[in-house]
Amino acid sequence: MTTGVRRRMGVEERREQLIAVALELFSHRSPDEVSIDEIAGAAGISRPLVYHYFPGKRSLYEAALRKAAVDLAARFEEPREGPLGPRLLRVMGRFFDFVDQHGPGFSALMRGGPAVGSSTTNALIDSVRQAAYEQILAHIGITAPSARLELVVRSWVSLAESTALLWLDGRRVPRAELELQLVHDFVALTAVSAAYDEEIAAVLRAVLATEPSDGHFADLVGRLVALAPLPQSHA
Amino acid sequence: MTTGVRRRMGVEERREQLIAVALELFSHRSPDEVSIDEIAGAAGISRPLVYHYFPGKRSLYEAALRKAAVDLAARFEEPREGPLGPRLLRVMGRFFDFVDQHGPGFSALMRGGPAVGSSTTNALIDSVRQAAYEQILAHIGITAPSARLELVVRSWVSLAESTALLWLDGRRVPRAELELQLVHDFVALTAVSAAYDEEIAAVLRAVLATEPSDGHFADLVGRLVALAPLPQSHA
């Protein structure tokens, strides 16, 4: 019989189990609200045994976060093929899958707090941001970005985070809309900078050149043109 | 003689002085790196006397943050007169003044960490975000925003934060450019949502209708049109 409770696990297997149990609990409640007792109970082992595998609550939290960070960073990986819009849309879909699945844990982590705010967790969050940033740079084919382009890409990564956090607070907008909106936001923020920076303008032209005429970007531009009123016409 | 060291101060005056000294120190180094000894030294009083006014380091930090939060929130206040672009630009100017002045303290606070991450500090940060959000809503003349509009405005507030944080890390882009960029970003993010939401489209039209034909928005649109290549033309 495999009750899961009595079967003997190796050290690594047990650690993995505890991390999985913790992440599952954090998907429903903030890490601050989840005790070691609960994690022990859900894993079917005693509290002291948890401490055998993880010296303290923080150590288990950080191990869980490390696993989640690797998972999240991997979701930004996407083959560099085809138009950028659909690529980014697939990335955003996987990003929101993650946010959806890890809701309370994601919120608690990004907002900081007693159990989750530490230099280790901040470094892990930064590692995910950096991975996302590097993936986006790779997609637009840039290896040595200017300070302005770096800022555009990093600020968009941050916008994706904050949009996801705002979405989690009530989920009042369908997530599919926000996934597409963030793809459009990327082009919009790039366009704003492109208007004043030739390097970024070249990036934008290259991105748009790969887009199909019936794609999302064309749809956006068409709608914007239909919205129309350029400021001049109202002066 | 007013050496500042020996003059007797009232309780409130002394508390204000310690807060001012702390904020001054936090403008050069992260709160994590500033000790009560240093604050006492800079204020010209003994360490035990600091504890007479503030029961602990965190209490002093939080009082300093509370003062900074009130200051920062006030910078989003702007008369509701004239076109929106110049109003937002003035707000962004004051916001970057604050960020410029409180650099390390602002970074440490927004990034969380041992000395600065707590439910109290998170609540203070949220109060500033809320104040900024409400100010922007008032500027666009909306009192009961839809979930989508709320998300656009809040995500822009968050973009302003992250852009400022990225700027602080090296200050490699002139801040005046970023102030204008954030004003443009506001319109760009609103436009992306307006393309798929009639309420937001109405907000955008109303905003653009107040803009002068030689204003920043017209300049942006003109440049974007000159950048030109609509996706269709490349299909």
Side-chain angles (χ1 to χ4, degrees):
Chain A
M1 298 291 289
T2 55
T3 61
V5 177
R6 291 168 184 283
R7 190 166 67 80
R8 289 184 77 119
M9 291 185 180
V11 172
E12 260 320 297
E13 198 184 355
R14 180 64 85 187
R15 282 177 57 96
E16 288 300 318
Q17 182 214 15
L18 288 168
I19 288 170
V21 163
L23 284 173
E24 169 61 22
L25 289 168
F26 301 162
S27 71
H28 302 293
R29 275 176 304 141
S30 159
D32 286 328
E33 299 164 1
V34 174
S35 68
I36 287 289
D37 280 330
E38 277 179 276
I39 293 170
I45 65 174
S46 69
R47 179 189 168 92
L49 199 51
V50 174
Y51 285 111
H52 177 69
Y53 295 100
F54 293 96
K57 187 169 172 175
R58 181 172 291 280
S59 140
L60 174 52
Y61 286 165
E62 288 177 356
L65 172 59
R66 193 166 291 115
K67 187 179 175 65
V70 169
D71 174 3
L72 179 52
R75 296 183 188 223
F76 281 84
E77 286 171 22
E78 168 73 24
R80 320 237 195 289
E81 289 159 13
L84 184 69
R87 283 191 234 170
L88 282 187
L89 191 58
R90 285 190 291 273
V91 168
M92 287 296 96
R94 291 194 298 267
F95 172 63
F96 269 84
D97 283 344
F98 178 95
V99 171
D100 205 348
Q101 185 185 344
H102 295 283
F106 181 79
S107 286
L109 181 66
M110 302 311 292
R111 297 179 52 78
V116 289
S118 74
S119 48
T120 306
T121 56
N122 282 343
L124 282 168
I125 293 171
D126 278 344
S127 74
V128 175
R129 288 177 178 149
Q130 181 66 20
Y133 165 69
E134 289 172 5
Q135 284 295 321
I136 302 300
L137 272 193
H139 280 292
I140 59 177
I142 300 288
T143 48
S146 66
R148 283 186 189 82
L149 181 55
E150 178 176 342
L151 201 136
V152 170
V153 177
R154 288 194 191 275
S155 67
W156 177 79
V157 169
S158 165
L159 185 72
E161 272 176 34
S162 55
T163 298
L165 275 172
L166 290 165
W167 172 71
L168 278 176
D169 185 12
R171 305 189 183 207
R172 290 174 296 148
V173 179
R175 53 170 269 198
E177 281 185 31
L178 297 182
E179 293 164 14
L180 181 59
Q181 180 175 303
L182 280 163
V183 174
H184 286 156
D185 287 345
F186 178 77
V187 178
L189 296 179
T190 305
V192 164
S193 290
Y196 297 87
D197 182 295
E198 184 44 44
E199 181 203 359
I200 299 177
V203 168
L204 182 65
R205 281 193 206 97
V207 163
L208 293 180
T210 67
E211 291 298 315
S213 59
D214 59 350
H216 292 305
F217 291 156
D219 184 54
L220 173 67
V221 171
R223 285 166 181 264
L224 288 177
V225 169
L227 258 180
L230 298 184
Q232 287 90 332
S233 63
H234 282 264
Chain B
M1 297 289 289
T2 56
T3 62
V5 177
R6 291 169 184 284
R7 191 166 66 80
R8 290 182 79 116
M9 292 185 181
V11 171
E12 260 320 297
E13 196 184 356
R14 180 63 85 186
R15 281 177 57 95
E16 289 299 319
Q17 182 215 15
L18 288 168
I19 289 170
V21 163
L23 284 173
E24 169 62 21
L25 289 167
F26 301 162
S27 71
H28 301 293
R29 275 176 305 140
S30 160
D32 286 328
E33 298 164 1
V34 175
S35 68
I36 288 289
D37 280 331
E38 276 179 278
I39 292 170
I45 65 175
S46 70
R47 179 188 168 92
L49 198 51
V50 173
Y51 285 111
H52 177 69
Y53 295 100
F54 293 97
K57 187 170 171 174
R58 179 173 291 280
S59 140
L60 174 52
Y61 286 165
E62 288 177 356
L65 172 59
R66 193 164 292 116
K67 187 178 175 64
V70 169
D71 174 3
L72 179 52
R75 296 182 188 223
F76 281 84
E77 286 169 23
E78 168 74 24
R80 320 234 194 292
E81 290 158 15
L84 183 69
R87 283 191 234 170
L88 282 187
L89 192 57
R90 286 190 291 271
V91 168
M92 287 297 96
R94 291 194 297 267
F95 171 63
F96 270 83
D97 282 344
F98 179 95
V99 171
D100 205 348
Q101 185 185 343
H102 295 281
F106 181 79
S107 287
L109 181 66
M110 303 310 293
R111 297 180 51 78
V116 289
S118 74
S119 48
T120 306
T121 56
N122 282 344
L124 282 167
I125 293 171
D126 279 345
S127 74
V128 176
R129 288 177 179 148
Q130 182 65 22
Y133 166 68
E134 289 171 4
Q135 285 294 321
I136 302 300
L137 273 193
H139 280 292
I140 59 178
I142 300 287
T143 48
S146 66
R148 283 185 189 82
L149 181 57
E150 176 176 344
L151 201 135
V152 169
V153 176
R154 289 194 190 274
S155 67
W156 178 79
V157 169
S158 166
L159 185 72
E161 271 175 34
S162 56
T163 299
L165 275 172
L166 290 165
W167 172 71
L168 278 176
D169 185 12
R171 306 191 182 206
R172 290 173 297 148
V173 179
R175 53 170 268 199
E177 282 185 31
L178 297 182
E179 293 164 15
L180 180 59
Q181 181 175 304
L182 280 163
V183 174
H184 286 155
D185 286 346
F186 178 76
V187 178
L189 296 179
T190 305
V192 164
S193 290
Y196 297 88
D197 183 294
E198 184 44 44
E199 181 202 359
I200 300 176
V203 167
L204 182 65
R205 281 193 206 97
V207 162
L208 293 180
T210 67
E211 291 298 314
S213 59
D214 59 349
H216 291 306
F217 290 157
D219 184 54
L220 174 67
V221 171
R223 285 166 181 264
L224 288 176
V225 169
L227 258 181
L230 298 185
Q232 287 90 332
S233 62
H234 283 263

